[in-house]
Amino acid sequence: MLDSFAYKSMKIVIFTNKLNFLMPFGPIAILVDELAGHNSWVFLLSLLGIIPLAERLGYATEQLAFYTGPTAGGLLNATFGNATELIISIFALRSQMIRVVQLSLLGSILSNMLLVLGCAFFCGGIVFNKKEQTFNKATAVVNSGLLLMAVMGLLFPALLHYTHSEAHFGKSELALSRFSSCIMLLAYAAYLFFQLMSQMNLYSSVYEEETHSEESSDEDEAPEISKWESVIWLSILTVWISVLSKYLVDAIEIASESLKIPVSFISVILLPIVGNAAEHASAIMFAMKDKLDISLGVAIGSSTQISMFGIPFCVVTGWIMGQPMDLNFQLFETATLFITVIVVAFLLQEGTSNYFKGLMLILCYLIVAASFFVHVDPPLSENKLESLKAE
């Protein structure tokens, strides 16, 4: 009996998704690494192997959300939706690749805000081209405010560095980053309380819409796997993503040299697209069903969590590890994030969307991608890093 349940669960999770044909690339990456050492093939194979795992992680989270209810389910979706990026960041932090951590987290925010939201608006606008789609403007305003707060947290350490106005050179910038990170984590905790407790009515339309859509759709009437099966699959997939992330991080620099692709482009563009594969697909799907509130929650909610939780969490984790991870993402990266937040906030202020707004966001993302393809970190940042490590 137990074997039949296990077989049924494995069949649903592993054999029902078309993306899962990429799963064998993960073990192949490990085999290539053991036989030939770190090289560009290990990076490419690990990257391909993580794509279906990230998608299945999102699926297992959605299944678990059936048992936890919409409120806790929304939080679970946001948290595990960003699990891939956070796991990659922690392994990069352990390998003292602080710039990879900063750039991959930044890339995740940019990818969600421009590419994921842009594709959702574009596809939804094409399907419903006779009308403008609408969403809850109040939730968009709150998230935009949090994103601007995150920009403030990143901006001041960068300004302190580039204006050479540190009270204690090499120490004030790091101390400010750690203090600001603690404040940002506190603000994110307050946001969760605001969202889930004191202002439930603000988000009720999203939850009601999601509940009605589940009731009206035959395929969403009931979960496909049990609660404990969901928990077990979440654990297995998280461990497997962690294993592949180690090989991926170790091969980044070699892949950058052999493929003639800047590390900044790999970190900001390629890694987040892989990590956001599940979110990308679900945001588009909901937009094409005229459920933009959910699409917005997936894209902007994920960006908010990375900026207000993911980045400060990595700073505090680096503090515990003895790594000088700070909020100085350099001037180029901070300016890119600031302009992106302003553009997205401007497009969201009316509470409506159409395919043209989506196209604008996608084209903005292409400009960002091209910019990072020709961008190289200034040598000064490396010298700063070495001085901090020496201390």
Side-chain angles (χ1 to χ4, degrees), residues 164-175:
H164 307 289
S165 55
E166 292 180 83
H168 304 282
F169 181 76
K171 294 182 180 179
S172 298
E173 181 186 322
L174 186 59

Side-chain angles (χ1 to χ4, degrees), residues 316-355:
V316 174
T317 303
W319 190 1
I320 295 169
M321 289 181 179
Q323 297 294 335
M325 169 77 182
D326 60 22
L327 294 178
N328 178 13
F329 278 43
Q330 307 301 328
L331 202 56
F332 182 85
E333 289 80 359
T334 307
T336 303
L337 178 61
F338 178 65
I339 295 168
T340 298
V341 171
I342 294 298
V343 168
V344 172
F346 184 78
L347 290 179
L348 294 179
Q349 67 177 348
E350 292 179 348
T352 62
S353 80
N354 50 56
Y355 71 88

Side-chain angles (χ1 to χ4, degrees), residues 55-76:
E55 191 279 332
R56 290 288 86 184
L57 192 69
Y59 169 81
T61 307
E62 288 171 6
Q63 293 298 304
L64 185 59
F66 276 104
Y67 303 97
T68 60
T71 303
L75 182 59
L76 275 173

Side-chain angles (χ1 to χ4, degrees), residues 31-328:
L31 186 64
V32 170
D33 181 78
E34 295 298 327
L35 296 177
H38 300 314
N39 55 49
S40 56
W41 279 108
V42 175
F43 173 78
L44 293 172
L45 292 169
S46 300
L47 203 64
L48 291 172
I50 285 176
I51 292 175
L53 298 177
E55 191 279 332
R56 290 288 86 184
L57 192 69
Y59 169 81
T61 307
E62 288 171 6
Q63 293 298 304
L64 185 59
F66 276 104
Y67 303 97
T68 60
T71 303
L75 182 59
L76 275 173
N77 273 304
T79 303
F80 280 96
N82 293 320
T84 305
E85 294 96 320
L86 289 175
I87 291 169
I88 292 173
S89 297
I90 289 170
F91 275 100
L93 205 55
R94 286 182 58 185
S95 301
Q96 301 182 349
M97 300 170 70
I98 292 174
R99 285 299 286 159
V100 171
V101 177
Q102 292 179 328
L103 293 171
S104 63
L105 292 174
L106 173 72
S108 182
I109 299 170
L110 298 176
S111 173
N112 276 297
M113 294 183 71
L114 296 177
L115 184 62
V116 176
L117 188 63
C119 287
F121 280 3
F122 182 78
C123 294
I126 293 294
V127 173
F128 298 94
N129 57 8
K130 302 290 184 182
K131 65 164 188 172
E132 277 200 324
Q133 293 180 288
T134 60
F135 52 84
N136 190 335
K137 191 164 64 171
T139 59
V141 169
V142 171
N143 281 285
S144 297
L146 282 170
L147 287 166
L148 283 170
M149 182 180 176
V151 170
M152 180 187 290
L154 301 184
L155 185 61
F156 286 121
L159 288 175
L160 199 65
H161 175 76
Y162 285 99
T163 56
H164 307 289
S165 55
E166 292 180 83
H168 304 282
F169 181 76
K171 294 182 180 179
S172 298
E173 181 186 322
L174 186 59
L176 175 62
S177 296
R178 288 169 176 172
F179 175 78
S180 298
S181 295
C182 294
I183 296 297
M184 290 163 74
L185 288 172
L186 180 63
Y188 186 70
Y191 163 69
L192 290 181
F193 180 80
F194 172 81
Q195 181 185 21
L196 303 178
M197 300 295 181
S198 63
Q199 293 290 327
M200 273 284 291
N201 60 321
L202 189 66
Y203 299 87
S204 59
S205 62
V206 180
Y207 298 141
E208 286 171 8
E209 186 177 3
E210 190 169 3
T211 303
H212 292 326
S213 68
E214 288 171 358
E215 290 174 355
S216 62
S217 175
D218 291 335
E219 62 183 7
D220 291 335
E221 282 182 356
E224 296 179 349
I225 57 178
S226 70
K227 179 171 69 174
W228 288 109
E229 285 174 332
S230 302
V231 172
I232 291 169
W233 278 112
L234 277 175
S235 305
I236 292 172
L237 291 166
T238 302
V239 170
W240 187 223
I241 287 173
S242 300
V243 171
L244 282 185
S245 295
K246 180 182 182 300
Y247 288 91
L248 181 72
V249 167
D250 290 343
I252 282 179
E253 291 181 347
I254 296 172
S256 173
E257 293 174 5
S258 60
L259 297 174
K260 301 292 188 291
I261 300 175
V263 173
S264 58
F265 183 84
I266 291 175
S267 303
V268 175
I269 305 301
L270 297 184
L271 294 185
I273 286 177
V274 170
N276 293 330
E279 293 169 333
H280 202 154
S282 61
I284 293 173
M285 178 190 70
F286 285 123
M288 292 175 71
K289 293 179 179 179
D290 202 19
K291 297 165 188 170
L292 267 190
D293 280 318
I294 304 176
S295 295
L296 210 69
V298 170
I300 302 299
S302 181
S303 297
T304 302
Q305 189 179 67
I306 285 290
S307 60
M308 294 298 292
F309 174 76
I311 292 174
F313 173 78
C314 286
V315 172
V316 174
T317 303
W319 190 1
I320 295 169
M321 289 181 179
Q323 297 294 335
M325 169 77 182
D326 60 22
L327 294 178
N328 178 13

